[in-house]
Amino acid sequence: DQQVKQNSPSLSVQEGRISILNCDYTNSMFDYFLWYKKYPAEGPTFLISISSIKDKNEDGRFTVFLNKSAKHLSLHIVPSQPGDSAVYFCAASDSYSGAGSYQLTFGKGTKLSVIP
Amino acid sequence: DADVTQTPRNRITKTGKRIMLECSQTKGHDRMYWYRQDPGLGLRLIYYSFDVKDINKGEISDGYSVSRQAQAKFSLSLESAIPNQTALYFCATRSRDRGDDNEQFFGPGTRLTVL
């Protein structure tokens, strides 16, 4: 039973256009959501996060939107650049589970290719 | 220097062998985690530790054991490796504080192949 779902294994976008990566979750207890970016032969690196008390968070070219009623979040990258080509993982956390363990539940990832 | 380091970076071993993967961090974090990643799958939690005296099983702990030798070191062992343990293994750390980002910091990974 997958609690965090990224239904698009891959996405191709032209340089300069918008990239939209989607993520759905099923666990209503999740209250923090994070996006990680992963290049080949490297560990995932944190990109941006959002708390369930917000519906939008921006950081430069990256914006995450959260729709709690739909249990859906999305990552927008504008404008997309070739260096953004990577695998993007959506992750969710239930802050109160495990007495502060801050476990993350990850989606399967979406491979973004930005075409020059 | 990297904040979270993993050794070895690559390892090929045979079925039935014992193998240890090591993780060290200089971030001063108390929470440490071990994940595995398989092709087409996300990262799945194997074990996590709050501090030296606290070890907890994650989603897929069967076939694995861990040791928290110090705050900065967290080792993952496969007592008798099997081919379906072939995967990418990542160590991660997090501070005790509940910051807005709730971020975990990952090491570069160990690619393990069990023949």
Side-chain angles (χ1 to χ4, degrees), chain B residues 16-64:
Chain B
K17 293 291 187 181
R18 184 180 188 275
I19 184 166
M20 178 181 288
L21 309 182
E22 299 188 351
C23 176
S24 295
Q25 53 115 346
T26 59
K27 301 188 74 66
H29 289 167
D30 59 338
R31 283 157 173 75
M32 297 187 74
Y33 308 80
W34 274 105
Y35 293 89
R36 68 176 277 176
Q37 182 192 6
D38 298 276
L41 298 179
L43 282 75
R44 293 182 293 166
L45 183 64
I46 306 172
Y47 271 95
Y48 63 97
S49 170
F50 286 1
D51 60 36
V52 174
K53 301 176 184 178
D54 185 275
I55 302 290
N56 302 279
K57 292 183 177 180
E59 178 188 354
I60 52 165
S61 59
D62 288 349
Y64 301 95

Side-chain angles (χ1 to χ4, degrees), chain B residues 33-114:
Chain B
Y33 308 80
W34 274 105
Y35 293 89
R36 68 176 277 176
Q37 182 192 6
D38 298 276
L41 298 179
L43 282 75
R44 293 182 293 166
L45 183 64
I46 306 172
Y47 271 95
Y48 63 97
S49 170
F50 286 1
D51 60 36
V52 174
K53 301 176 184 178
D54 185 275
I55 302 290
N56 302 279
K57 292 183 177 180
E59 178 188 354
I60 52 165
S61 59
D62 288 349
Y64 301 95
S65 63
V66 291
S67 173
R68 185 81 183 268
Q69 302 94 322
Q71 188 198 37
K73 296 184 182 297
F74 193 34
S75 300
L76 176 72
S77 294
L78 288 69
E79 296 300 326
S80 179
I82 56 177
N84 77 0
Q85 291 178 311
T86 293
L88 261 176
Y89 289 84
F90 291 102
C91 174
T93 73
R94 192 197 185 281
S95 72
R96 175 192 303 270
D97 298 328
R98 182 180 169 178
D100 287 341
D101 288 338
N102 207 17
E103 175 187 356
Q104 292 182 15
F105 297 84
F106 284 82
T110 295
R111 182 172 294 279
L112 176 66
T113 303
V114 183

Side-chain angles (χ1 to χ4, degrees), chain A residues 13-59:
Chain A
V13 173
Q14 287 289 129
E15 181 179 3
R17 305 295 292 269
I18 184 172
S19 296
I20 300 176
L21 294 90
N22 294 303
C23 178
D24 297 292
Y25 62 97
T26 58
N27 188 340
S28 300
M29 298 301 292
F30 288 147
D31 59 356
Y32 276 99
F33 303 89
L34 305 89
W35 286 94
Y36 279 83
K37 177 179 179 179
K38 185 184 179 305
Y39 293 118
E42 295 183 11
T45 55
F46 171 74
L47 191 59
I48 192 170
S49 67
I50 188 167
S51 163
S52 60
I53 64 174
K54 300 179 180 178
D55 55 18
K56 177 182 175 181
N57 190 26
E58 284 182 87
D59 184 1

Side-chain angles (χ1 to χ4, degrees), chain A residues 35-108:
Chain A
W35 286 94
Y36 279 83
K37 177 179 179 179
K38 185 184 179 305
Y39 293 118
E42 295 183 11
T45 55
F46 171 74
L47 191 59
I48 192 170
S49 67
I50 188 167
S51 163
S52 60
I53 64 174
K54 300 179 180 178
D55 55 18
K56 177 182 175 181
N57 190 26
E58 284 182 87
D59 184 1
R61 296 186 297 113
F62 302 92
T63 303
V64 56
F65 295 92
L66 175 62
N67 182 335
K68 286 178 289 184
S69 60
K71 294 190 177 67
H72 176 83
L73 63 156
S74 60
L75 174 68
H76 293 210
I77 306 173
V78 183
S80 300
Q81 299 173 355
D84 295 330
S85 297
V87 177
Y88 289 78
F89 290 102
C90 173
S93 174
D94 167 8
S95 299
Y96 298 97
S97 69
S101 66
Y102 303 118
Q103 294 182 50
L104 294 180
T105 301
F106 285 84
K108 294 183 178 181

